[in-house]
Each structure stands twice: as C-alpha cells, then as structure tokens.
Amino acid sequence: MEFAFDVISAEDYARERASYEPLTDALRTLIDVGIHTAVDDATVQEALGHLEAATRLLQQQERVSTSTLRHADTGRPLAWANPAVGLRNAIAPPMIIEHEPDGSCWSEFTLGPAYEGPPGWVHGGICALLLDHILGEVASEGLSLPKFTGTISVKYLRGTHLGQVRAEAFVERSEGFKTFAKGYLRDSEGVTVEAEGVFIMPAWARDAG
C-alpha cells in the first residue's frame, strides 16, 4: 500500500516546530519526573488534576489525517510521530540524524530513565528500535527512498549505560531492490550493540519507478 503525503511549507514547518517542540520537551521531562517523584498522595492527586486539565485543552482540536507530512523545500518526510526521531513524540529521545558525504549517518543523544531496563542500563528493546531506525535511515538515503525492514539481526556485546550514546550506520551493499546496512550503538566505553539489516523497496515503489 502506497503512503499519502501532505506537503508542508518551510514557513508552516518552522511555525509548528516552534509551537510543538517545547510541548514535547515538557512531556519528556514529565515522563522522567513521573518515574522519580516521591511526593505524597495529595500532591499526586493535585498533579493528576492539572494533567487531566491539560489533556482536555489539547483535545479541543485533533488531527484526524494519518498521512505523513513532507517538507516542501527538502522533500523529506516529517515523521513527527516516530518513536525514534519524532518531534511530537515524547517517547522519542529524539535522534537528530546527521548525514555524511560518504552516505553514512550518525546521531548522538541522551537516554534517560524512560529507557531503563535493568537498573542503570538501557532496555535491550530500545537499543534494537534505535538501530532499526538508523539502519533504515541510511538504507533509504535519508528517507528519500521507500525502504522497509526485511530482516534485522542485533548482537548485544554488553549492556548500554543510560546517558549519552551514539548510533551510527552505513550501507554495506545493494542488490536490486535490497539494501544491506550495518550499524552500532556506543556509550562512553565503546560499542555495546551491533546490528545488520536488509531493507527492501516495496512492490508499489518498484512499479512506480
């Protein structure tokens, strides 16, 4: 099934980003605070009332479209709901992905308590999610081509410390409609997770080409 895209102008993009990015950052902070708070029951109930009020405010108008926005100037899709890079998704770190001239890409970001598995360590499923995304990013040439994960293999070398991490990926080779990518996740002590994936152009995109 081919995806629909709505084009957003550079001006509207800047306006929406300026409006919604602080809201998402505040929600991320709220998630972290909610994990660590030790306030009494009365304070919890007071905070809950404020949150319910904020929810009602934001529900006054909601988008019903499921189409993806595409930036008019760059042509890149704006995956604002994406759990790895989404500007408007508070569970995304978010990853801000940098692209190198050789086609590789990388991102440095912080994983806090919302991503914890064992105490002090990043949940293994989060590591897999982030690597799946950045491998898909490099395989699709910066999301300019439709490429979806066919298979992905993740090898955990050791635990990943919560805090500052770096993800990186590159294309090993391409064979027809398949792209083979490889990537790594690193913390302050070095590589913690390796991943290899095969990314496939869907049939509708092949027919369109």
Side-chain angles (χ1 to χ4, degrees):
M1 179 179 66
E2 187 171 356
F3 292 97
F5 289 94
D6 289 335
V7 177
I8 184 171
S9 69
E11 181 181 358
D12 286 342
Y13 168 78
R15 177 183 54 78
E16 290 203 24
R17 183 177 188 118
S19 178
Y20 290 111
E21 189 170 28
L23 174 64
T24 309
D25 286 341
L27 290 172
R28 290 190 182 101
T29 300
L30 182 62
I31 291 171
D32 287 350
V33 171
I35 292 171
H36 288 297
T37 188
V39 297
D40 59 28
D41 292 346
T43 306
V44 169
Q45 292 305 310
E46 181 181 357
L48 179 60
H50 290 300
L51 292 175
E52 290 173 340
T55 298
R56 289 192 293 271
L57 280 174
L58 295 174
Q59 285 177 329
Q60 291 180 27
Q61 185 174 350
E62 296 181 277
R63 291 195 311 162
V64 296
S65 172
T66 57
S67 62
T68 299
L69 294 175
R70 186 183 292 277
H71 195 285
D73 291 352
T74 67
R76 284 175 56 84
L78 306 177
W80 280 356
N82 186 285
V85 298
L87 175 74
R88 293 179 61 173
N89 191 336
I91 68 171
M95 302 171 74
I96 299 174
I97 298 178
E98 305 290 343
H99 294 266
E100 298 295 338
D102 64 1
S104 64
C105 61
W106 57 273
S107 179
E108 293 183 347
F109 48 95
T110 300
L111 296 177
Y115 308 99
E116 187 175 58
W121 303 92
V122 180
H123 191 291
I126 298 297
C127 297
L129 164 69
L130 300 174
L131 283 168
D132 177 64
H133 183 86
I134 199 166
L135 263 65
E137 176 95 12
V138 79
S140 65
E141 299 179 17
L143 303 182
S144 65
L145 299 173
K147 293 283 182 76
F148 302 123
T149 309
T151 60
I152 187 168
S153 174
V154 180
K155 183 178 181 181
Y156 297 88
L157 306 180
R158 60 175 177 83
T160 303
H161 293 288
L162 288 175
Q164 188 78 7
V165 298
R166 177 185 173 98
E168 50 195 55
F170 59 93
V171 171
E172 287 193 307
R173 69 186 190 280
S174 294
E175 297 177 1
F177 297 113
K178 296 181 179 180
T179 300
F180 297 78
K182 189 170 184 177
Y184 307 92
L185 189 68
R186 305 174 183 269
D187 63 12
S188 60
E189 298 177 5
V191 175
T192 62
V193 188
E194 298 177 347
E196 296 181 351
V198 181
F199 295 82
I200 302 171
M201 181 178 289
W204 59 259
R206 304 175 203 173
D207 296 340

